[in-house]
Short mmCIF file of all heavy atoms in Angstrom, two decimals:
data_model
loop_
_atom_site.label_atom_id
_atom_site.label_comp_id
_atom_site.label_asym_id
_atom_site.label_seq_id
_atom_site.Cartn_x
_atom_site.Cartn_y
_atom_site.Cartn_z
N THR A 1472 -61.00 102.14 -199.26
CA THR A 1472 -62.20 102.34 -200.06
C THR A 1472 -62.79 101.00 -200.52
O THR A 1472 -62.14 99.94 -200.41
CB THR A 1472 -61.88 103.21 -201.29
OG1 THR A 1472 -63.09 103.59 -201.92
CG2 THR A 1472 -61.01 102.44 -202.30
N VAL A 1473 -64.00 101.05 -201.05
CA VAL A 1473 -64.69 99.85 -201.54
C VAL A 1473 -63.87 99.18 -202.63
O VAL A 1473 -63.33 99.84 -203.53
CB VAL A 1473 -66.09 100.21 -202.08
CG1 VAL A 1473 -66.77 98.99 -202.66
CG2 VAL A 1473 -66.95 100.82 -200.97
N ARG A 1474 -63.77 97.84 -202.55
CA ARG A 1474 -63.01 97.07 -203.53
C ARG A 1474 -63.93 96.46 -204.58
O ARG A 1474 -65.13 96.34 -204.37
CB ARG A 1474 -62.22 95.95 -202.85
CG ARG A 1474 -61.29 96.37 -201.74
CD ARG A 1474 -60.29 97.42 -202.16
NE ARG A 1474 -59.58 97.05 -203.39
CZ ARG A 1474 -58.74 97.85 -204.03
NH1 ARG A 1474 -58.51 99.08 -203.57
NH2 ARG A 1474 -58.13 97.44 -205.12
N ALA A 1475 -63.34 96.05 -205.70
CA ALA A 1475 -64.01 95.29 -206.76
C ALA A 1475 -65.16 96.04 -207.41
O ALA A 1475 -66.14 95.44 -207.84
CB ALA A 1475 -64.48 93.94 -206.22
N LYS A 1476 -65.05 97.36 -207.49
CA LYS A 1476 -66.05 98.14 -208.21
C LYS A 1476 -65.82 98.03 -209.72
O LYS A 1476 -66.77 98.12 -210.50
CB LYS A 1476 -66.02 99.60 -207.77
CG LYS A 1476 -66.52 99.84 -206.36
CD LYS A 1476 -66.67 101.32 -206.06
CE LYS A 1476 -65.32 102.01 -205.99
NZ LYS A 1476 -65.46 103.45 -205.59
N GLU A 1477 -64.57 97.86 -210.13
CA GLU A 1477 -64.24 97.70 -211.54
C GLU A 1477 -64.39 96.24 -211.96
O GLU A 1477 -64.19 95.33 -211.16
CB GLU A 1477 -62.82 98.19 -211.80
CG GLU A 1477 -62.55 99.63 -211.38
CD GLU A 1477 -63.44 100.61 -212.11
OE1 GLU A 1477 -63.76 100.36 -213.30
OE2 GLU A 1477 -63.84 101.62 -211.50
N GLU A 1478 -64.71 96.04 -213.23
CA GLU A 1478 -65.04 94.69 -213.74
C GLU A 1478 -63.89 93.71 -213.56
O GLU A 1478 -64.11 92.56 -213.15
CB GLU A 1478 -65.43 94.77 -215.21
CG GLU A 1478 -65.86 93.43 -215.79
CD GLU A 1478 -66.31 93.53 -217.23
OE1 GLU A 1478 -66.41 94.66 -217.76
OE2 GLU A 1478 -66.56 92.47 -217.83
N ALA A 1479 -62.66 94.14 -213.83
CA ALA A 1479 -61.53 93.22 -213.75
C ALA A 1479 -61.34 92.69 -212.33
O ALA A 1479 -61.14 91.48 -212.13
CB ALA A 1479 -60.26 93.92 -214.22
N GLU A 1480 -61.40 93.59 -211.34
CA GLU A 1480 -61.22 93.15 -209.96
C GLU A 1480 -62.40 92.32 -209.49
O GLU A 1480 -62.24 91.36 -208.73
CB GLU A 1480 -61.04 94.37 -209.04
CG GLU A 1480 -60.63 93.98 -207.62
CD GLU A 1480 -60.35 95.18 -206.73
OE1 GLU A 1480 -60.31 96.32 -207.23
OE2 GLU A 1480 -60.17 94.96 -205.52
N ALA A 1481 -63.61 92.65 -209.96
CA ALA A 1481 -64.79 91.87 -209.60
C ALA A 1481 -64.70 90.45 -210.15
O ALA A 1481 -65.04 89.48 -209.46
CB ALA A 1481 -66.05 92.56 -210.13
N GLU A 1482 -64.23 90.32 -211.38
CA GLU A 1482 -64.08 88.99 -211.98
C GLU A 1482 -63.04 88.17 -211.24
O GLU A 1482 -63.22 86.97 -211.03
CB GLU A 1482 -63.70 89.13 -213.46
CG GLU A 1482 -64.83 89.60 -214.36
CD GLU A 1482 -66.04 88.68 -214.32
OE1 GLU A 1482 -65.85 87.44 -214.37
OE2 GLU A 1482 -67.17 89.19 -214.22
N LYS A 1483 -61.94 88.82 -210.84
CA LYS A 1483 -60.93 88.11 -210.07
C LYS A 1483 -61.48 87.65 -208.73
O LYS A 1483 -61.20 86.53 -208.26
CB LYS A 1483 -59.70 88.99 -209.84
CG LYS A 1483 -58.57 88.26 -209.08
CD LYS A 1483 -57.38 89.15 -208.82
CE LYS A 1483 -56.22 88.37 -208.20
NZ LYS A 1483 -56.58 87.58 -207.03
N LEU A 1484 -62.28 88.51 -208.08
CA LEU A 1484 -62.85 88.13 -206.79
C LEU A 1484 -63.78 86.93 -206.93
O LEU A 1484 -63.74 86.01 -206.10
CB LEU A 1484 -63.60 89.32 -206.17
CG LEU A 1484 -64.06 89.13 -204.73
CD1 LEU A 1484 -63.95 90.43 -203.94
CD2 LEU A 1484 -65.48 88.60 -204.65
N LYS A 1485 -64.59 86.91 -207.98
CA LYS A 1485 -65.48 85.77 -208.20
C LYS A 1485 -64.70 84.49 -208.43
O LYS A 1485 -65.04 83.42 -207.91
CB LYS A 1485 -66.42 86.06 -209.38
CG LYS A 1485 -67.48 87.10 -209.07
CD LYS A 1485 -68.51 87.22 -210.18
CE LYS A 1485 -68.00 88.03 -211.34
NZ LYS A 1485 -69.06 88.29 -212.35
N LYS A 1486 -63.64 84.60 -209.22
CA LYS A 1486 -62.79 83.44 -209.49
C LYS A 1486 -62.09 82.98 -208.21
O LYS A 1486 -62.00 81.79 -207.92
CB LYS A 1486 -61.76 83.80 -210.55
CG LYS A 1486 -60.90 82.63 -211.02
CD LYS A 1486 -59.85 83.08 -212.03
CE LYS A 1486 -60.48 83.66 -213.28
NZ LYS A 1486 -59.44 84.00 -214.30
N ASP A 1487 -61.59 83.94 -207.42
CA ASP A 1487 -60.92 83.61 -206.16
C ASP A 1487 -61.85 82.93 -205.18
O ASP A 1487 -61.46 82.01 -204.45
CB ASP A 1487 -60.33 84.87 -205.53
CG ASP A 1487 -59.00 85.28 -206.14
OD1 ASP A 1487 -58.36 84.45 -206.80
OD2 ASP A 1487 -58.60 86.45 -205.95
N ALA A 1488 -63.11 83.39 -205.13
CA ALA A 1488 -64.08 82.80 -204.20
C ALA A 1488 -64.29 81.31 -204.51
O ALA A 1488 -64.30 80.46 -203.61
CB ALA A 1488 -65.40 83.55 -204.27
N LEU A 1489 -64.44 80.99 -205.78
CA LEU A 1489 -64.60 79.60 -206.18
C LEU A 1489 -63.34 78.80 -205.90
O LEU A 1489 -63.41 77.63 -205.50
CB LEU A 1489 -64.97 79.51 -207.66
CG LEU A 1489 -66.37 80.03 -208.02
CD1 LEU A 1489 -66.53 80.14 -209.54
CD2 LEU A 1489 -67.45 79.12 -207.43
N LEU A 1490 -62.19 79.43 -206.09
CA LEU A 1490 -60.92 78.76 -205.83
C LEU A 1490 -60.75 78.46 -204.35
O LEU A 1490 -60.29 77.38 -203.97
CB LEU A 1490 -59.78 79.64 -206.32
CG LEU A 1490 -58.37 79.05 -206.32
CD1 LEU A 1490 -58.31 77.82 -207.22
CD2 LEU A 1490 -57.36 80.08 -206.80
N LEU A 1491 -61.14 79.42 -203.48
CA LEU A 1491 -61.04 79.19 -202.04
C LEU A 1491 -61.98 78.07 -201.60
O LEU A 1491 -61.63 77.27 -200.72
CB LEU A 1491 -61.37 80.47 -201.27
CG LEU A 1491 -60.38 81.64 -201.40
CD1 LEU A 1491 -60.76 82.77 -200.45
CD2 LEU A 1491 -58.95 81.21 -201.17
N GLN A 1492 -63.16 78.02 -202.20
CA GLN A 1492 -64.09 76.93 -201.89
C GLN A 1492 -63.48 75.60 -202.30
O GLN A 1492 -63.51 74.62 -201.53
CB GLN A 1492 -65.42 77.15 -202.61
CG GLN A 1492 -66.42 76.03 -202.41
CD GLN A 1492 -67.77 76.34 -203.05
OE1 GLN A 1492 -68.66 76.85 -202.39
NE2 GLN A 1492 -67.91 76.04 -204.32
N GLU A 1493 -62.90 75.55 -203.50
CA GLU A 1493 -62.28 74.32 -203.99
C GLU A 1493 -61.10 73.91 -203.11
O GLU A 1493 -60.82 72.72 -202.92
CB GLU A 1493 -61.83 74.53 -205.44
CG GLU A 1493 -61.18 73.32 -206.09
CD GLU A 1493 -59.68 73.23 -205.84
OE1 GLU A 1493 -59.04 74.28 -205.66
OE2 GLU A 1493 -59.15 72.11 -205.78
N ALA A 1494 -60.38 74.92 -202.58
CA ALA A 1494 -59.21 74.63 -201.73
C ALA A 1494 -59.61 74.09 -200.36
O ALA A 1494 -58.75 73.57 -199.64
CB ALA A 1494 -58.37 75.89 -201.57
N GLY A 1495 -60.88 74.24 -199.99
CA GLY A 1495 -61.36 73.65 -198.74
C GLY A 1495 -61.86 74.61 -197.68
O GLY A 1495 -62.17 74.18 -196.57
N CYS A 1496 -61.95 75.92 -197.99
CA CYS A 1496 -62.48 76.87 -197.01
C CYS A 1496 -63.91 76.50 -196.62
O CYS A 1496 -64.71 76.11 -197.47
CB CYS A 1496 -62.46 78.29 -197.57
SG CYS A 1496 -60.82 79.04 -197.62
N PHE A 1497 -64.24 76.67 -195.35
CA PHE A 1497 -65.61 76.37 -194.90
C PHE A 1497 -66.50 77.60 -194.97
O PHE A 1497 -67.73 77.49 -194.87
CB PHE A 1497 -65.62 75.80 -193.49
CG PHE A 1497 -65.23 76.78 -192.40
CD1 PHE A 1497 -66.18 77.60 -191.81
CD2 PHE A 1497 -63.92 76.86 -191.97
CE1 PHE A 1497 -65.82 78.49 -190.81
CE2 PHE A 1497 -63.55 77.74 -190.96
CZ PHE A 1497 -64.50 78.57 -190.38
N ALA A 1498 -65.91 78.79 -195.16
CA ALA A 1498 -66.66 80.04 -195.27
C ALA A 1498 -65.69 81.11 -195.77
O ALA A 1498 -64.47 80.94 -195.72
CB ALA A 1498 -67.26 80.45 -193.93
N ILE A 1499 -66.27 82.22 -196.27
CA ILE A 1499 -65.44 83.31 -196.78
C ILE A 1499 -66.02 84.64 -196.30
O ILE A 1499 -67.22 84.90 -196.46
CB ILE A 1499 -65.39 83.33 -198.32
CG1 ILE A 1499 -64.80 82.02 -198.86
CG2 ILE A 1499 -64.56 84.52 -198.82
CD1 ILE A 1499 -64.85 81.93 -200.39
N VAL A 1500 -65.17 85.48 -195.71
CA VAL A 1500 -65.55 86.86 -195.39
C VAL A 1500 -65.43 87.70 -196.66
O VAL A 1500 -64.42 87.62 -197.36
CB VAL A 1500 -64.65 87.44 -194.28
CG1 VAL A 1500 -64.89 88.94 -194.13
CG2 VAL A 1500 -64.92 86.74 -192.95
N LEU A 1501 -66.47 88.49 -196.94
CA LEU A 1501 -66.45 89.44 -198.05
C LEU A 1501 -66.50 90.83 -197.45
O LEU A 1501 -67.51 91.21 -196.85
CB LEU A 1501 -67.64 89.21 -198.98
CG LEU A 1501 -67.72 87.85 -199.66
CD1 LEU A 1501 -69.01 87.73 -200.47
CD2 LEU A 1501 -66.50 87.59 -200.55
N GLU A 1502 -65.41 91.58 -197.58
CA GLU A 1502 -65.34 92.88 -196.93
C GLU A 1502 -65.37 94.02 -197.93
O GLU A 1502 -64.59 94.07 -198.87
CB GLU A 1502 -64.06 92.99 -196.08
CG GLU A 1502 -63.95 94.32 -195.36
CD GLU A 1502 -62.89 94.35 -194.27
OE1 GLU A 1502 -62.23 93.32 -194.04
OE2 GLU A 1502 -62.73 95.41 -193.63
N LYS A 1503 -66.30 94.93 -197.69
CA LYS A 1503 -66.39 96.21 -198.39
C LYS A 1503 -66.33 96.06 -199.90
O LYS A 1503 -65.45 96.58 -200.57
CB LYS A 1503 -65.30 97.16 -197.88
CG LYS A 1503 -65.79 98.61 -197.78
CD LYS A 1503 -64.84 99.47 -197.00
CE LYS A 1503 -65.40 100.89 -196.87
NZ LYS A 1503 -64.47 101.81 -196.21
N ILE A 1504 -67.32 95.32 -200.42
CA ILE A 1504 -67.48 95.18 -201.87
C ILE A 1504 -68.93 95.52 -202.21
O ILE A 1504 -69.80 95.53 -201.34
CB ILE A 1504 -67.14 93.76 -202.36
CG1 ILE A 1504 -68.12 92.72 -201.80
CG2 ILE A 1504 -65.70 93.39 -202.00
CD1 ILE A 1504 -67.95 91.33 -202.38
N PRO A 1505 -69.23 95.83 -203.49
CA PRO A 1505 -70.61 96.15 -203.86
C PRO A 1505 -71.58 95.03 -203.49
O PRO A 1505 -71.26 93.84 -203.64
CB PRO A 1505 -70.52 96.33 -205.38
CG PRO A 1505 -69.10 96.74 -205.63
CD PRO A 1505 -68.29 95.98 -204.62
N ALA A 1506 -72.76 95.41 -203.02
CA ALA A 1506 -73.76 94.43 -202.57
C ALA A 1506 -74.17 93.49 -203.70
O ALA A 1506 -74.42 92.30 -203.46
CB ALA A 1506 -74.97 95.14 -202.00
N THR A 1507 -74.26 93.99 -204.93
CA THR A 1507 -74.66 93.14 -206.05
C THR A 1507 -73.61 92.06 -206.31
O THR A 1507 -73.95 90.91 -206.63
CB THR A 1507 -74.85 93.98 -207.32
OG1 THR A 1507 -73.67 94.78 -207.55
CG2 THR A 1507 -76.06 94.89 -207.20
N LEU A 1508 -72.34 92.40 -206.18
CA LEU A 1508 -71.26 91.42 -206.35
C LEU A 1508 -71.29 90.39 -205.23
O LEU A 1508 -71.14 89.18 -205.47
CB LEU A 1508 -69.91 92.13 -206.39
CG LEU A 1508 -68.67 91.23 -206.47
CD1 LEU A 1508 -68.70 90.37 -207.72
CD2 LEU A 1508 -67.39 92.08 -206.41
N ALA A 1509 -71.49 90.85 -204.01
CA ALA A 1509 -71.56 89.93 -202.87
C ALA A 1509 -72.72 88.95 -203.03
O ALA A 1509 -72.59 87.77 -202.69
CB ALA A 1509 -71.72 90.71 -201.57
N LYS A 1510 -73.83 89.42 -203.56
CA LYS A 1510 -75.00 88.55 -203.82
C LYS A 1510 -74.63 87.48 -204.85
O LYS A 1510 -74.94 86.29 -204.66
CB LYS A 1510 -76.18 89.38 -204.30
CG LYS A 1510 -77.45 88.59 -204.58
CD LYS A 1510 -78.58 89.54 -204.98
CE LYS A 1510 -79.92 88.80 -205.11
NZ LYS A 1510 -79.93 87.88 -206.26
N GLU A 1511 -73.99 87.91 -205.92
CA GLU A 1511 -73.61 86.97 -206.97
C GLU A 1511 -72.64 85.92 -206.45
O GLU A 1511 -72.78 84.72 -206.73
CB GLU A 1511 -72.98 87.73 -208.14
CG GLU A 1511 -72.64 86.87 -209.33
CD GLU A 1511 -72.09 87.66 -210.50
OE1 GLU A 1511 -72.08 88.90 -210.45
OE2 GLU A 1511 -71.65 87.02 -211.48
N VAL A 1512 -71.66 86.35 -205.67
CA VAL A 1512 -70.68 85.42 -205.11
C VAL A 1512 -71.35 84.46 -204.13
O VAL A 1512 -71.12 83.24 -204.17
CB VAL A 1512 -69.54 86.18 -204.40
CG1 VAL A 1512 -68.64 85.22 -203.62
CG2 VAL A 1512 -68.71 86.97 -205.42
N SER A 1513 -72.20 84.98 -203.27
CA SER A 1513 -72.88 84.14 -202.27
C SER A 1513 -73.72 83.07 -202.93
O SER A 1513 -73.77 81.92 -202.47
CB SER A 1513 -73.75 85.02 -201.36
OG SER A 1513 -72.97 85.96 -200.66
N GLU A 1514 -74.39 83.43 -204.02
CA GLU A 1514 -75.25 82.47 -204.71
C GLU A 1514 -74.46 81.45 -205.52
O GLU A 1514 -74.97 80.38 -205.84
CB GLU A 1514 -76.22 83.23 -205.62
CG GLU A 1514 -77.27 84.03 -204.84
CD GLU A 1514 -78.15 84.88 -205.74
OE1 GLU A 1514 -77.82 85.01 -206.95
OE2 GLU A 1514 -79.16 85.41 -205.24
N SER A 1515 -73.20 81.77 -205.81
CA SER A 1515 -72.37 80.86 -206.60
C SER A 1515 -71.68 79.80 -205.74
O SER A 1515 -71.14 78.83 -206.27
CB SER A 1515 -71.31 81.64 -207.38
OG SER A 1515 -70.28 82.11 -206.53
N LEU A 1516 -71.68 80.00 -204.42
CA LEU A 1516 -70.95 79.12 -203.52
C LEU A 1516 -71.87 78.19 -202.74
O LEU A 1516 -73.01 78.54 -202.45
CB LEU A 1516 -70.14 79.95 -202.53
CG LEU A 1516 -69.08 80.91 -203.09
CD1 LEU A 1516 -68.47 81.74 -201.97
CD2 LEU A 1516 -68.00 80.15 -203.84
N THR A 1517 -71.34 77.04 -202.38
CA THR A 1517 -72.07 76.14 -201.46
C THR A 1517 -71.69 76.43 -200.02
O THR A 1517 -72.40 76.03 -199.10
CB THR A 1517 -71.77 74.67 -201.79
OG1 THR A 1517 -70.36 74.44 -201.69
CG2 THR A 1517 -72.25 74.31 -203.19
N ILE A 1518 -70.55 77.10 -199.81
CA ILE A 1518 -70.13 77.48 -198.45
C ILE A 1518 -70.66 78.88 -198.14
O ILE A 1518 -70.91 79.67 -199.06
CB ILE A 1518 -68.60 77.45 -198.31
CG1 ILE A 1518 -67.92 78.43 -199.28
CG2 ILE A 1518 -68.07 76.03 -198.49
CD1 ILE A 1518 -66.41 78.54 -199.09
#
């Protein structure tokens, strides 16, 4: 089922995305999450 619909999991995903960018990832796949969350994450990253 769709992930990160609840606030706690969504906040962790946002934090993880920034952490992966800091760790050196060149891109991140976002699978089956709310479109609004994906938009927020995409806009927060340089990758």
Side-chain angles (χ1 to χ4, degrees):
T1472 191
V1473 176
R1474 304 305 310 174
K1476 291 189 291 184
E1477 304 299 326
E1478 183 177 353
E1480 189 176 351
E1482 287 301 316
K1483 183 182 186 309
L1484 189 144
K1485 288 188 281 187
K1486 186 183 298 184
D1487 280 342
L1489 291 170
L1490 188 60
L1491 293 187
Q1492 177 175 266
E1493 181 273 331
C1496 285
F1497 69 88
I1499 301 174
V1500 170
L1501 299 176
E1502 181 167 359
K1503 218 167 183 185
I1504 65 172
T1507 52
L1508 176 60
K1510 181 177 187 292
E1511 185 177 353
V1512 171
S1513 299
E1514 291 175 349
S1515 73
L1516 300 174
T1517 58
I1518 61 174

